[in-house]
């Protein structure tokens, strides 16, 4: 027997019992006559005591043990004279009479503490040491709990979890596929799924009615900071539903998850159209934990001879409450430069300070009278002491730039209350985006998304311009400015699906080769259906108020798509290549 | 609103209510004045009625609908005059006043009935029609329930579900890997996991203590009848445990699953050593639902001048109760030929009939006296009316051949009671198998399996012959002759792991390149640990008394590894190959 109890469970009521514990040496302290060892396992830390006078050999053995040694100790639970109220086991300690080293440890490459001295790369290479640290361990336990609660809720709501295949077919649309050469089908490849989209629709055609899956998906993209080549989705689909059925079900799921993991009661989620979100926040995933709504200034600023505004499609600003005094000329210059970086690309940044002493200071003071500028104050609902920032230019770009500024203001001025959660449904997305470069439409959500019912006829019969105005029956769940998930009502009619592929630039042959099975299925009694997918890694991070998904993934890959611990990917044997009828062509790329 | 109720829920107490149902047209019957439609969804079937006199247009519309049309119907629930006691909704029907065709259907390629006229290939191509059939649908629902109950049980027992990566490193040991070319790491490949073995061990080193995952695994093997290139495991690992801790935990899980899905109470599972299983049943996965234990006949049969037996390493037989009268000479000849097929490879088959009339008839009557043959009766515990079959030859081969005969006798004579479950732990497997062809040892379980503690010193210091006698701390769960899962206590010591790789023919460099990260982890405080994995697809099938796993998988692949519905694998675009620095070399294989 390795243990009678774990290291987190002993309390004052266990005093006098003989117990056996196993775990890792977290820390040891030698006070001459007494040696204390903190023994750690997943469940907690318990103090072991060795008395030099009573058991000399044992105490000397204990003094030689290093950090992260694996120990088994047997002894009697006794009350501590010096209790530790910060530790659940802090009332007791173990007077050890038998000690065994189960395994030794070399000196850890970084400290196994909540705040570690290990850098990102070292932590990933020795991930098995990193996961011993509380923050990472707790994240993984949280993730496990979140997935179980998701499954319980969806199962209680009649959803069936169905595993869809991982070895599927490559479809060049969208992001790049990871492909898998088939040995048994020479020259052919499987692809790893970017999502189970077509399979879950097929399951609806198959009459499964309510499907879900917590499922790995794969995208071979150039990895940005917080992307992973493999990621996890809560993937769902429902039959005989309208949008509101889906929103209610998954609002229910989200509330359940917040309640069962954080004990947070979320209020009903507001809904906002894509157009409204863009107008008020310049983003389709607005962070509602703080205000600073966009204020349209076209009518207030145009026609007064300031050509920058006069020539602009849009003049728009935000008001930062009480911060007029926080911005010196130098600060403004720095912020302007930040806005002018290529990542944001603003041409300039106009400010107006409504100072606490009622004076007004603005970078465009010479183009507008003080009365005119004072007039804008009402548009902003600004008060003395506030500062206003104004951008101008082409409508879409300018809104996006101002969105960046709004987010930066919230960060800089610490406007976000920790533990605050603001969920939002964004609805009524455009169906199609016109892409000038490729001279064709792209699906804003994906090619299976249905237009809103009232737009269906226009979609089937409209001209090119009409297509730009079609609305999709699509929706995103946004929490605290993060897109948690999205979905749509799907097309379930072959003619409409065919028309959509047409608009998206598929030839009849391409559409048939890639999605013929789905269009075929639509001819055998496909029910109306729709669904949603939540990014599970992101959901974990947002619930914990963390920006990065990486520490919610046990073994994440770095920005080059490498697993630093196992050192993958790696070359494979020549024999494997031959079996797969493949040859490396390393020069072709250069 | 598509529906107020589903098609399985309406009862006599709903009579008088107006309801809306949506579903598929299962069948329609036109009796002149009245048309009946059976409307089906996942939850059941409800009868719709259309009265020609009351609503002529509606009834005529209903008469034109074909099988599998998707309908929405609104009407009043009323009591049926002609009740159907075989259907939960059989007391009521819907007097329809509003009917809408939500989608049409072409004539289905096979009948959507429990017994279908569709062959395997057609069913796979139109899997979305096949899943509408009750048996397949119920299998998938069962699977979903089984996975949820697995998760509940393991979570209640402090197991954490951790997702391990799917893009890992290729290790040529064991079965073939599916590999995934990396675009970002030119000329390098990921592999899909054959199991999360090394990762779950790493999680133990990481202090996770109890890990599980229901996880897809991948093996690029030539597919036999009931293998799939991707399959699902319940994968587990525990720290600070001995074998018995693991067996108790997973016996508990298995009992829980039988209880919650089938309401079957399993008794405690017997345990049998590998040696005993081979001796008594000639198999490491004996089916205990029927007897016919092997009876060793060496001492009874040798030394009487019958050279076939005299020269044989082993003479062994089974007794088939009460079947002496069932075997004519022709039957025996047929059975002998069946045993002589290359799949089994027996040289011949000896029989003894202890006839009901007390006469004895045997194919070797001329070599033994009737008294001698009558003497064997006691060894077999045979009675008048029984027939005995005897095989002889090299020990291991002969046992395997007799195992096949034993299973065949159970099939032919229908010795298996439906709904009977006989679980069994097989323990104490050999650690290593000597392979004459490759002139090296193979791991019987896998290279991470620990020897039994008492064999550890012999393993580190013993000679070549000693290695053949080492026992592994490994175990299999067998139910009804199917291997449900297996596992072992793992090596957690670098020196012992290194020795094992050595025995298995790895060079130091190969071991380091492939498993260096694991051996490195063992040096940083690896706890004693062990685990187990259940084949989830197989578990589903065995619980349902079915031989094939295929209909417990939503979208299985055929024996060529093809998905017949989506037609994968398939060629990929030249541009994809270029991006991946790959070239097809289709001629090299020939």
């Amino acid at each position: 027997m390795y243990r009678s109890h774990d290291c987190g469970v002993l309390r004052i009521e266990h005093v006098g019992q003989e117990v056996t514990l196993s775990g890792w040496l977290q820390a040891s302290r030698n006070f001459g006559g007494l040696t204390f060892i903190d023994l750690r396992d997943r469940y907690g830390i318990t103090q072991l005591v060795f008395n030099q006078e009573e058991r000399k050999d044992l105490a000397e053995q204990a003094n030689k043990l290093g950090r992260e040694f694996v120990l088994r100790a047997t002894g009697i639970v006794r009350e501590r004279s010096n209790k530790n109220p910060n530790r659940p086991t802090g009332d007791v300690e173990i007077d050890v009479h038998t000690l065994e080293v189960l395994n030794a440890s070399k000196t850890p490459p970084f400290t196994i503490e909540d705040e570690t001295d290990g850098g990102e790369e070292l932590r990933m290479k020795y991930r098995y040491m990193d996961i011993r640290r509380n923050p990472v361990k707790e994240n993984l336990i949280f993730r496990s709990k979140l997935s179980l609660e998701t499954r319980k809720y969806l199962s209680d709501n009649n959803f069936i979890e169905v595993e869809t295949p991982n070895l599927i077919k490559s479809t060049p649309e969208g992001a790049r596929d990871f492909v898998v050469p088939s040995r048994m089908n020479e020259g052919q490849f499987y692809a790893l799924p970017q999502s189970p989209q077509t399979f879950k629709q097929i399951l609806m055609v198959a009459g499964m009615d309510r499907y879900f899956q917590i499922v790995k998906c794969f995208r071979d993209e150039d990895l940005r900071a917080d992307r992973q080549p493999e990621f996890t989705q809560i993937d769902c689909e429902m039959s005989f539903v309208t949008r509101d059925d889906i929103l209610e079900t998954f609002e229910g799921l989200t509330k359940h998850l917040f309640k069962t993991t954080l004990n947070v009661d979320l209020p009903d989620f507001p809904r906002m159209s894509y157009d409204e979100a863009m107008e008020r926040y310049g983003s389709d995933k607005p962070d509602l934990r703080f205000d600073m709504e966009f204020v349209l200034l076209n009518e207030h600023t145009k026609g007064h001879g300031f050509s920058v505004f006069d020539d602009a499609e849009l003049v728009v600003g935000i008001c930062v409450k009480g911060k007029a005094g926080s911005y010196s000329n130098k600060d403004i210059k720095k912020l302007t430069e930040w806005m002018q970086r290529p990542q944001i690309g603003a041409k300039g940044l106009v400010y107006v300070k409504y100072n606490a002493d009622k004076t007004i200071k603005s970078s465009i003071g010479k183009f507008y009278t003080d009365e005119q500028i004072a007039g804008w104050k009402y548009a902003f609902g600004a008060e003395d002491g506030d500062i206003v920032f104004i951008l101008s230019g082409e409508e879409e770009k300018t809104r996006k730039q101002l969105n960046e500024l709004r987010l930066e203001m919230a960060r800089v001025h610490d406007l976000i209350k920790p533990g605050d959660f603001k969920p939002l449904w964004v609805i009524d997305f455009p169906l199609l985006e016109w892409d000038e470069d490729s001279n064709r439409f792209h699906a804003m959500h994906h090619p299976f998304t249905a237009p809103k019912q009232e737009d269906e006829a226009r979609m089937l019969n409209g001209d090119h311009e009409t297509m730009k105005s079609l609305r999709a029956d699509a929706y995103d769940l946004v929490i605290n400015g993060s897109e948690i998930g999205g979905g749509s009502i799907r097309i379930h009619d072959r003619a409409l699906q065919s028309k959509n592929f047409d608009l998206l630039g598929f030839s009849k042959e391409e559409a048939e080769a890639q999605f013929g099975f789905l269009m075929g299925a639509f001819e055998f009694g496909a029910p109306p259906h729709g669904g949603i997918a939540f990014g599970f890694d992101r959901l974990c991070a947002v619930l914990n108020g963390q920006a990065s998904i990486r520490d919610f993934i046990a073994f994440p890959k770095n920005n080059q798509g490498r697993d630093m611990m196992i050192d993958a990917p790696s070359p494979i044997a020549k024999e494997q290549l031959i079996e797969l009828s493949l040859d490396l062509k390393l020069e072709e790329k250069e």
Side-chain angles (χ1 to χ4, degrees), chain A residues 176-180 190-194 218-221 229-230:
Chain A
R176 277 192 203 85
D177 286 323
F178 282 106
V179 297
V180 181
Y190 302 99
L192 300 180
Q194 298 186 30
F218 303 86
R219 277 180 208 168
D220 182 14
E221 293 175 300
E230 48 180 311

Side-chain angles (χ1 to χ4, degrees), chain A residues 166-229:
Chain A
N166 271 8
L167 295 172
I168 65 166
K169 188 168 172 162
S170 187
T171 53
E173 175 70 3
R176 277 192 203 85
D177 286 323
F178 282 106
V179 297
V180 181
S182 166
R183 181 179 55 86
M184 288 169 71
N185 300 273
E186 203 184 24
Q188 300 189 17
F189 293 74
Y190 302 99
L192 300 180
Q194 298 186 30
S195 92
Q197 182 62 34
T198 52
F199 286 97
K200 68 177 176 173
Q201 292 191 243
I202 287 286
L203 285 170
M204 294 303 101
V205 180
M208 287 304 283
D209 205 70
R210 294 183 159 208
Y211 144 92
F212 85 101
Q213 191 181 188
I214 301 185
V215 61
K216 275 278 179 74
C217 302
F218 303 86
R219 277 180 208 168
D220 182 14
E221 293 175 300
D222 297 321
L223 299 176
R224 294 191 317 229
D226 210 28
R227 286 263 183 92
Q228 287 284 317

Side-chain angles (χ1 to χ4, degrees), chain A residues 132-311:
Chain A
R132 290 185 195 166
R133 296 170 51 238
N134 270 322
V136 185
K137 178 190 81 178
E138 292 302 334
N139 283 353
L140 296 181
I141 292 175
F142 181 90
R143 183 184 178 106
S144 178
K145 179 161 190 203
L146 197 68
S147 75
L148 185 67
E149 288 299 337
T150 301
R151 288 185 160 103
K152 280 184 182 168
Y153 182 90
L154 291 173
S155 298
D156 287 346
N157 282 275
N158 262 331
F159 284 79
I160 301 296
E161 185 161 24
V162 180
E163 294 169 60
T164 53
N166 271 8
L167 295 172
I168 65 166
K169 188 168 172 162
S170 187
T171 53
E173 175 70 3
R176 277 192 203 85
D177 286 323
F178 282 106
V179 297
V180 181
S182 166
R183 181 179 55 86
M184 288 169 71
N185 300 273
E186 203 184 24
Q188 300 189 17
F189 293 74
Y190 302 99
L192 300 180
Q194 298 186 30
S195 92
Q197 182 62 34
T198 52
F199 286 97
K200 68 177 176 173
Q201 292 191 243
I202 287 286
L203 285 170
M204 294 303 101
V205 180
M208 287 304 283
D209 205 70
R210 294 183 159 208
Y211 144 92
F212 85 101
Q213 191 181 188
I214 301 185
V215 61
K216 275 278 179 74
C217 302
F218 303 86
R219 277 180 208 168
D220 182 14
E221 293 175 300
D222 297 321
L223 299 176
R224 294 191 317 229
D226 210 28
R227 286 263 183 92
Q228 287 284 317
E230 48 180 311
F231 56 96
T232 304
Q233 273 185 199
I234 304 174
D235 192 55
C236 300
E237 200 78 3
M238 302 168 79
S239 289
F240 301 117
V241 289
T242 59
R243 180 194 72 194
D244 287 358
D245 296 316
I246 295 177
L247 299 199
E248 279 157 29
T249 303
F250 291 91
E251 189 166 322
L253 169 64
T254 309
K255 287 177 178 176
H256 174 83
L257 295 179
F258 272 80
K259 184 66 185 172
T260 50
T261 59
L262 302 179
N263 199 25
V264 164
D265 289 294
L266 290 182
D268 288 345
F269 300 2
R271 298 180 188 181
M272 191 183 288
S273 74
Y274 171 86
D275 286 347
E276 186 183 344
M278 293 308 290
E279 206 173 297
R280 289 172 62 188
Y281 302 100
S283 168
D284 59 359
K285 44 181 182 180
D287 191 334
L288 301 188
R289 287 176 296 176
F290 46 89
D291 297 330
M292 295 191 287
E293 269 193 42
F294 288 12
V295 174
L296 187 65
L297 295 171
N298 284 20
E299 56 177 281
H300 299 285
T301 56
K302 288 193 172 211
H304 298 281
F306 180 45
S307 67
V308 175
F309 283 2
D310 285 351
D311 299 346

Side-chain angles (χ1 to χ4, degrees), chain A residues 222-228 538 548-550 557-559:
Chain A
D222 297 321
L223 299 176
R224 294 191 317 229
D226 210 28
R227 286 263 183 92
Q228 287 284 317
R538 173 68 51 207
S548 168
I549 63 172
R550 211 169 274 193
K557 292 188 173 57
N558 73 6
N559 283 352

Side-chain angles (χ1 to χ4, degrees), chain A residues 22-89:
Chain A
S22 288
W24 286 262
L25 188 153
Q26 172 75 25
S28 72
R29 296 174 299 285
N30 178 356
F31 294 122
L34 288 176
T35 298
F36 297 97
I37 286 180
D38 280 347
L39 192 69
R40 186 198 71 232
D41 67 10
R42 192 184 103 197
Y43 311 95
I45 291 180
T46 300
Q47 179 166 292
L48 310 179
V49 194
F50 300 85
N51 190 315
Q52 181 86 26
E53 277 183 28
E54 289 169 17
R55 293 189 190 84
K56 187 156 181 286
D57 289 357
L58 207 61
E60 276 172 6
Q61 186 194 355
N63 283 334
K64 285 186 204 128
L65 305 173
R67 279 191 290 140
E68 301 303 317
F69 272 51
V70 186
L71 309 177
R72 168 163 57 185
T74 302
I76 307 297
V77 183
R78 70 181 190 201
E79 187 169 1
R80 279 169 71 164
S81 53
N82 185 11
K83 293 185 181 169
N84 179 348
N86 298 322
R87 194 179 276 173
T89 64

